[in-house]
């Protein structure tokens, strides 16, 4: 039986860098981008350790702007 892993996609243009997803993530997968801002001038979050994602979607649930999409994938 394969193991389930997760993959997150962040809409960086909508992200305001509130960091609620950082607090919600149990595996510390997400980090605030250093020295990067989106078109609106906000620092945004990105997947710093994407291989650690377990697909729990806690980050997507707490995101007030709906910027995060979580996909689950089966790993053999």
């Amino acid at each position: 039986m394969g193991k389930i892993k997760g993959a997150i996609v962040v809409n960086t243009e909508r992200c305001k860098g509130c960091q609620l997803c950082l607090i919600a993530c149990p595996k510390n997968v997400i980090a605030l981008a250093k020295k990067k801002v989106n078109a609106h001038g906000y620092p945004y979050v990105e997947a710093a350790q994407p291989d650690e994602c377990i697909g729990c979607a806690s980050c997507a649930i707490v995101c007030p702007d709906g910027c995060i999409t979580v996909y689950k994938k089966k790993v053999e």
Side-chain angles (χ1 to χ4, degrees), residues 1-7 71-76:
M1 181 185 282
K3 187 176 179 182
I4 301 294
K5 296 289 283 181
Y71 298 98
K72 291 185 179 184
K73 57 185 177 182
K74 190 175 183 180
V75 179
E76 298 296 324

Side-chain angles (χ1 to χ4, degrees), residues 56-75:
C56 69
S58 294
C59 56
I61 292 168
V62 300
C63 182
D65 296 312
C67 302
I68 302 173
T69 305
V70 178
Y71 298 98
K72 291 185 179 184
K73 57 185 177 182
K74 190 175 183 180
V75 179

Side-chain angles (χ1 to χ4, degrees), residues 2-73:
K3 187 176 179 182
I4 301 294
K5 296 289 283 181
I8 66 167
V9 176
V10 179
N11 182 339
T12 57
E13 289 307 310
R14 290 182 59 193
C15 180
K16 294 180 183 167
C18 70
Q19 301 182 40
L20 291 174
C21 54
L22 275 74
I23 297 165
C25 181
K27 294 291 193 174
N28 298 318
V29 172
I30 305 168
L32 196 62
K34 293 181 177 156
K35 300 182 181 181
K36 295 181 190 175
V37 294
N38 60 21
H40 304 288
Y42 294 112
Y44 54 85
V45 297
E46 59 187 2
Q49 299 177 357
D51 292 336
E52 298 296 317
C53 184
I54 58 174
C56 69
S58 294
C59 56
I61 292 168
V62 300
C63 182
D65 296 312
C67 302
I68 302 173
T69 305
V70 178
Y71 298 98
K72 291 185 179 184
K73 57 185 177 182

